[in-house]
Amino acid sequence: MTNFISPDELKAMLSDGGELALLDVREEGAHSQSHLFYTTPMPLSLLELLAGSLVPRLGTRTVLVDAGGGFAERAAAKLTDMGYRDVACLKGGIAAWEAAGYVLFSGVHVPCKAFGEYVEHHYDTPHIDAEVLQAMRDAGDDLVILDSRPMDEYQVMNIPGGIDCPGAELACRVHDLAPDPGTTVVVNCAGRTRSIIGAQSLINAAIPNPVVALKNGTMGWHLAGYELERGQSRMAPSPSADALVKAQACAQAAGQHFEVARIDRATLAQWQEEAEERTLYVLDVRDPSEYAAGHPVGVANAPGGQLVQGIDEWCGTLGARVVLVDDTGVRATMTASWLVQMGWDVAVLEGGLDGFEMTTEMPRRGPAGIGQAGKNEISPTELAARIAADDVLVVDLSPSREHDKGHVPGAWWAVRARLADSLPKLPHKSLLVLCSTDAIVARLAAPEASQLTAMPVAVLTGGTMAWREAGQDLETGLANMADERDDTWLKPYDSDSNVEDRMRAYLTWEVDLLQDIERDGDHRFRLFL
């Protein structure tokens, strides 16, 4: 039987000091339209794959939110079946929250984005406009431009001459990139948050150089009429021995100023033993390439800059303990200094990676064994023959962004959680084949689909990845849509039209978050002035 709580009860939970997993079970795009400040997206379509990492403790007080349609109740039933013991739904969903006089937010990673605006406002982080930066470049001023985003985002578009140096790497790598204290360091991202946090990180690390954030990042640069580079791969090199010594000293001072806790291996072991009473996240904040080359068993990779930018991708429980680890202490300490200010209970593990059992095996989403092949599977070769005979209906449950880039020819796109609505719209064939990127979501959906249609249901073995690897043709685009495309939040520059208007709206939204969080009153940000 589903438990419900009122908006007032939930509001009280947010300030009572206890652990709380506040989860929005709608698709990410739907979530981005309107949601509560601290809700973590956990779409019903991916629940089995995400729940264990986002909410690792089965006894966590958990509240599920939707916008009607029974999605929260369905998610509650699934979580209960998985062993979660304290699950409730917000009665009336987001509409009831708003009707009670509480604030709703749009966008994604809202607490982190709002925190960036909070930092700039309260710490007076210096910034320059695109026009000023261009004038400095034209004048041949001594400057270095550091792009604080991951390489995949940097390659989409970057400021000419900019060097990729993801957020947590800045304090490590800046000393080699700008050894002359007279060199101005300009930090940018696509918009505002990582520009602000990156620049303020270097200021907090007390490097001797002038440091500024590029106002509005690459979007501001584009809107000012300047050209962007695309497809670049310039990466800040790993720090030299001398630079690492400087970085460690800077990080140590920043850690002391922001009261970053440090724990030893014995304390970590104790916290791990207590993980059934108090949620614990242990995260490796190094660069993904370093993580892939060898990482502690059972420890997830959360690159430091991205963790500050979107902690809700890794930590779904407010009030949990968070332990950060790296090899030298610099990235863990600098990242922790921000999480402390965001209100998280965070500590850095002394000794770094020493003493851990290491592995190169990359973790998979979900519990062991989930999404294993069942009896009703069809190979790419067999599916190709059925498509040629026109006696098969293919439904792709991959993210729409991936479906757009390439899918089985003729496949319809749909959302797993809404198959009951979409399947009746589609033609009846002698066989329904479900596919997804790696087949896991399709396998989870197969028994559900079997209850919704008279067609026999099969799963494409290995999913779209196997189809591609088998040399089969791929179709691109979004021609066959069986459902609304609300599974993903599209960045302003992902759009096919009105890109500049979308960029302006996005940048305005970021700036306005500061006044929105004051109206809401739930943020846990801390100042160290």
Side-chain angles (χ1 to χ4, degrees):
M1 187 172 183
T2 304
N3 295 320
F4 290 95
I5 64 168
S6 70
D8 289 343
E9 290 173 312
L10 176 55
K11 191 71 171 179
M13 288 181 181
L14 284 164
S15 59
D16 67 11
E19 286 192 10
L20 175 64
L22 181 57
L23 309 174
D24 190 328
V25 299
R26 297 172 295 158
E27 302 299 311
E28 181 191 62
H31 162 85
S32 73
Q33 295 301 308
S34 184
H35 60 268
L36 282 64
F37 183 66
Y38 273 122
T39 41
T40 294
M42 191 182 73
L44 178 59
S45 297
L46 302 174
L47 182 145
E48 298 93 332
L49 301 178
L50 298 178
S53 59
L54 287 175
V55 190
R57 189 171 68 85
L58 295 177
T60 302
R61 183 175 55 170
T62 302
V63 177
L64 307 178
V65 182
D66 64 10
F71 296 99
E73 292 93 321
R74 288 167 59 190
K78 283 182 178 289
L79 289 175
T80 300
D81 287 344
M82 293 169 66
Y84 288 87
R85 302 187 295 272
D86 189 357
V87 181
C89 301
L90 176 62
K91 189 173 183 179
I94 61 171
W97 183 261
E98 186 173 38
Y102 301 133
V103 180
L104 291 172
F105 292 80
S106 62
V108 295
H109 307 314
V110 170
C112 302
K113 301 282 189 178
F115 178 66
E117 300 303 319
Y118 185 87
V119 166
E120 183 186 55
H121 176 74
H122 288 285
Y123 292 138
D124 198 22
T125 306
H127 63 263
I128 59 171
D129 294 330
E131 293 83 358
V132 176
L133 176 57
Q134 183 59 46
M136 294 173 68
R137 295 178 72 244
D138 291 341
D141 287 2
D142 183 9
L143 60 86
V144 60
I145 302 170
L146 301 182
D147 192 314
S148 62
R149 299 171 298 162
M151 176 59 74
D152 61 337
E153 293 187 50
Y154 169 84
Q155 290 182 321
V156 174
M157 57 182 184
N158 70 276
I159 307 299
I163 301 169
D164 188 49
C165 188
E169 307 297 328
L170 287 164
C172 285
R173 307 188 187 211
V174 70
H175 303 281
D176 287 327
L177 294 167
D180 185 338
T183 301
T184 298
V185 178
V186 181
V187 181
N188 77 274
C189 65
R192 294 177 54 81
T193 306
R194 287 170 290 182
S195 301
I196 295 166
I197 297 299
Q200 193 64 48
S201 288
L202 295 179
I203 293 168
N204 293 348
I207 70 168
N209 306 68
V211 179
V212 292
L214 175 60
K215 184 178 179 180
N216 298 333
T218 57
M219 286 191 274
W221 185 265
H222 173 80
L223 291 171
Y226 301 125
E227 292 294 322
L228 290 159
E229 291 183 325
R230 302 181 189 276
Q232 298 297 312
S233 58
R234 292 184 295 267
M235 179 72 183
S238 297
S240 64
D242 288 344
L244 181 57
V245 170
K246 294 177 181 177
Q248 288 175 318
C250 289
Q252 182 179 11
Q256 291 174 346
H257 178 75
F258 293 105
E259 301 175 8
V260 173
R262 305 184 67 84
I263 63 170
D264 56 19
R265 291 300 301 272
T267 302
L268 175 60
Q270 178 184 338
W271 288 4
Q272 289 170 327
E273 291 177 359
E274 297 170 355
E276 287 301 314
E277 290 75 44
R278 178 84 185 277
T279 299
L280 174 66
Y281 300 96
V282 184
L283 302 172
D284 183 336
V285 298
R286 295 177 298 156
D287 183 81
S289 63
E290 297 172 75
Y291 180 85
H295 57 268
V297 173
V299 175
N301 184 214
Q306 291 304 101
L307 185 59
V308 177
Q309 155 85 0
I311 192 171
D312 53 353
E313 291 186 26
W314 290 274
C315 304
T317 303
L318 296 167
R321 287 169 169 157
V322 181
V323 174
L324 305 183
V325 59
D326 71 356
D327 52 347
T328 66
V330 177
R331 290 170 285 190
T333 301
M334 294 305 298
T335 303
S337 73
W338 287 116
L339 298 191
V340 166
Q341 295 174 78
M342 292 171 70
W344 287 87
D345 184 358
V346 60
V348 171
L349 180 63
E350 294 178 335
L353 304 175
D354 294 343
F356 278 106
E357 178 186 354
M358 304 293 283
T359 182
T360 57
E361 183 176 352
M362 299 298 284
R364 295 183 63 187
R365 294 190 303 175
I370 194 168
Q372 290 183 330
K375 295 179 181 179
N376 299 321
E377 300 257 332
I378 184 170
S379 72
T381 302
E382 292 172 313
L383 177 57
R386 297 293 291 261
I387 291 173
D390 193 27
D391 69 344
V392 64
L393 171 65
V394 181
V395 174
D396 186 6
L397 304 177
S398 304
S400 61
R401 184 181 283 111
E402 295 183 22
H403 177 86
D404 188 12
K405 293 177 181 178
H407 55 265
V408 175
W412 290 83
W413 179 82
V415 172
R416 175 195 170 193
R418 298 197 297 260
L419 283 174
D421 296 323
S422 57
L423 283 179
K425 304 174 186 176
L426 303 181
H428 187 93
K429 298 287 184 177
S430 62
L431 179 67
L432 167 62
V433 174
L434 301 178
C435 63
S436 58
T437 305
D438 57 6
I440 292 178
V441 172
R443 287 168 179 156
L444 292 172
E448 300 164 349
S450 295
Q451 300 297 314
L452 300 171
T453 179
M455 288 182 283
V457 178
V459 171
L460 174 60
T461 301
T464 310
M465 292 171 55
W467 178 268
R468 179 184 292 107
E469 291 167 0
Q472 300 289 348
D473 291 338
L474 286 167
E475 188 174 70
T476 60
L478 300 169
N480 294 337
M481 303 295 285
D483 205 342
E484 179 185 359
R485 190 191 185 189
D486 67 354
D487 67 308
T488 187
W489 176 77
L490 296 176
K491 298 172 183 176
Y493 44 85
D494 287 336
S495 304
D496 296 327
S497 61
N498 301 320
V499 173
E500 286 76 17
D501 288 343
R502 292 175 184 271
M503 286 181 173
R504 294 186 187 95
Y506 175 81
L507 295 168
T508 299
W509 166 79
E510 282 194 299
V511 172
D512 288 346
L513 284 173
L514 188 61
Q515 62 187 32
D516 292 339
I517 63 172
E518 294 305 317
R519 289 192 301 117
D520 177 67
D522 284 333
H523 79 75
R524 305 176 177 196
F525 305 157
R526 298 176 59 193
L527 290 172
F528 289 77
L529 298 174

